């Protein structure tokens, strides 16, 4: 199941306003077009002082619109016409002045009128000097735009064109591409509830020592993020993972396999999908010591008891959700994974190489279901997550 490179991922209006960061918009258009996103560029008069419409036309392969009175649009209403086919409008860079206009619903040029008349989401990538960004007026406008449902992308912190250093730089074109692609994901899981486990569990030996494993949590967090982007209501039960909770996801932190089991069982009712990505410790100490165990010259034996298999237990519930497992193996990967799928009675399991996947930002996996093996190309974990969820959506 490879990505179909020829299909258009979405249609965007890219609005460019007056700021030095307008040069980054050229790179953004190049990346968008390369990613099969159809881009219609609209520029303000000030933007044309920083970068020319000719450049943007060459990169987008379409005429660029700058004026409200452009006669080339058939019905003479470019402010309505240009955004009707769009999946979203993105303003990059968005100047402080343009955001002030948006916050007040002003419509005195093509781009601001287009935004006011839109029937699609609006994404804004601010770019300005740090004092302008910090100014209470700008912050008021940002709060207002967020309250109006506008998605603010960035800004970044760093060196600015004026020589000052601080918040206000526009995000790099690659970061914007990533956020736009996320926004354009088809809402294949709209109305679905999905429960995911991620990360490593900690089985305490004493107050300062634990049995754990090398899972980073990156794959599970990527799936949670991708599921949210696809419109699902997501609950993430996370063991140890040094990661920021994904935006829009109900994240519950746990430590041991037992507390992960309890949290999962508490939330599993009414879930449509359960994906066990967590590397759950197979054993835990029979008696964790209440005090730190003192070092001594003699050998130490810790008696271990097996933990509950959370995924197998969820899969065997009466009204079980659609259950998906992960199998991180070091040898005979597909055979071992398929055995696990059958043993735990799962419609789908994701096989990956433990040596390659653990801690990495990329992963190369094979999906195994009753129809056989579906290898996915090695890709960033977020991309693997999207393809996995597409496969699940097709199976539901
Ligand atoms: O540990 P094992 O290789 O059996 O893990 C396979 C799948 O089972 C993974 O999806 C993992 O999250 C899940 N699992 C679980 N509870 C356990 C052990 C594994 O949910 N105690």
């Amino acid at each position: 199941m490879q990505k179909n490179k020829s299909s258009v991922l979405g249609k965007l209006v890219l609005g460019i306003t007056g700021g030095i960061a307008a040069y980054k918009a050229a790179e953004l258009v190049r990346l968008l077009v390369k990613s099969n996103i159809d881009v219609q560029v609209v520029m303000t008069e000030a933007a044309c002082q920083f970068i020319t419409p000719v450049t943007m036309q060459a990169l987008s392969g379409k005429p660029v619109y700058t004026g409200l009175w452009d006669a080339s649009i058939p019905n003479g209403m470019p402010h309505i016409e240009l955004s009707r086919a769009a999946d979203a409008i993105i303003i990059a860079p968005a100047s402080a002045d343009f955001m002030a206009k948006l916050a007040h619903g002003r419509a005195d040029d093509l781009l601001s009128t287009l935004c006011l008349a839109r029937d699609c989401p609006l994404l804004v990538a601010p770019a300005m000097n740090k004092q302008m960004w910090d100014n209470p007026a700008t912050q008021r406008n940002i709060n207002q735009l967020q309250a109006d449902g506008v998605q603010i992308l960035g800004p970044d912190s760093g060196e600015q064109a004026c020589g000052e250093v601080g918040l206000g730089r526009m995000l790099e074109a690659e970061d914007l591409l990533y956020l736009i692609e996320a926004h354009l994901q088809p809402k294949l899981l709209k109305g679905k509830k999905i429960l995911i486990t991620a990360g490593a569990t900690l089985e305490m030996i004493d107050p300062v020592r634990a049995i754990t494993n090398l899972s980073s949590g990156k794959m599970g967090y990527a799936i949670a993020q991708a599921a949210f982007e696809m419109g699902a209501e997501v609950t993430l039960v996370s063991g140890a993972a040094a990661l920021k909770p994904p935006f829009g996801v109900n994240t519950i932190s746990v430590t041991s396999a037992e507390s992960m089991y309890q949290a999962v069982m508490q939330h599993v009712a009414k879930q449509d999908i359960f994906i066990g990505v967590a590397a759950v410790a197979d054993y835990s100490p029979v008696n964790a010591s209440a005090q730190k165990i003192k070092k001594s010259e003699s050998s130490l034996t810790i008696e271990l008891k097996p933990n509950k298999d959370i995924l197998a237990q969820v899969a065997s519930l009466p009204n079980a959700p659609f259950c998906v497992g992960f199998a991180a193996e070091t040898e005979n990967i597909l055979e071992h994974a398929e055995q696990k799928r059958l043993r735990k009675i799962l419609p789908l399991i994701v096989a990956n190489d433990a040596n390659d996947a653990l801690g990495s930002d990329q992963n190369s996996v094979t999906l195994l279901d009753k129809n056989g093996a579906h290898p996915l190309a090695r890709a960033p974990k977020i991309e693997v997550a999207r393809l996995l969820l597409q496969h699940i959506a097709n199976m539901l």
Side-chain angles (χ1 to χ4, degrees), residues 197-199 257 260 264 274-283 306-314 324-329 340 343-344 346 349-350:
T197 65
M260 183 172 274
V264 165
F274 174 70
I275 311 182
V277 196
V280 186
D282 294 322
Y283 298 93
N307 287 329
K308 292 180 189 120
D309 190 311
I310 304 169
L311 178 59
Q313 299 232 7
V314 172
V324 182
F326 266 71
E329 303 290 342
K340 250 177 217 176
R343 196 168 59 241
K344 301 194 188 201
L346 309 173
I349 199 158
V350 183

Side-chain angles (χ1 to χ4, degrees), residues 156-222:
D156 210 350
S157 181
E159 195 171 331
Q160 306 197 313
C162 53
E164 293 182 4
V165 176
L167 259 185
R169 275 169 65 99
M170 188 169 86
L171 291 180
E172 296 303 327
E174 278 190 2
D175 299 330
L176 288 174
L177 173 73
Y178 171 80
L179 293 167
I180 291 165
E181 279 190 334
H183 183 87
L184 293 175
Q185 287 309 303
K187 305 295 175 234
L188 297 175
L189 297 174
K190 197 159 181 59
K192 299 284 182 214
K193 292 181 76 168
I194 174 163
L195 180 62
I196 300 166
T197 65
T201 61
L202 284 181
E203 311 304 328
M204 299 313 286
I205 296 169
D206 70 17
V208 296
R209 301 180 182 100
I211 297 172
T212 188
N213 59 64
L214 296 180
S215 170
S216 63
K218 286 178 186 171
M219 192 66 239
Y221 275 56

Side-chain angles (χ1 to χ4, degrees), residues 73-115:
I73 294 274
N75 65 3
M77 287 193 248
H79 65 294
I80 306 287
E81 208 56 36
L82 290 176
S83 75
R84 280 303 173 263
D87 296 302
I89 301 175
I90 172 156
I91 312 295
S95 65
D97 175 59
F98 194 77
M99 288 195 301
K101 281 212 277 198
L102 283 179
H104 289 90
R106 291 194 52 193
D108 60 359
D109 62 8
L110 176 58
L111 190 56
S112 54
T113 312
L114 197 94
C115 290

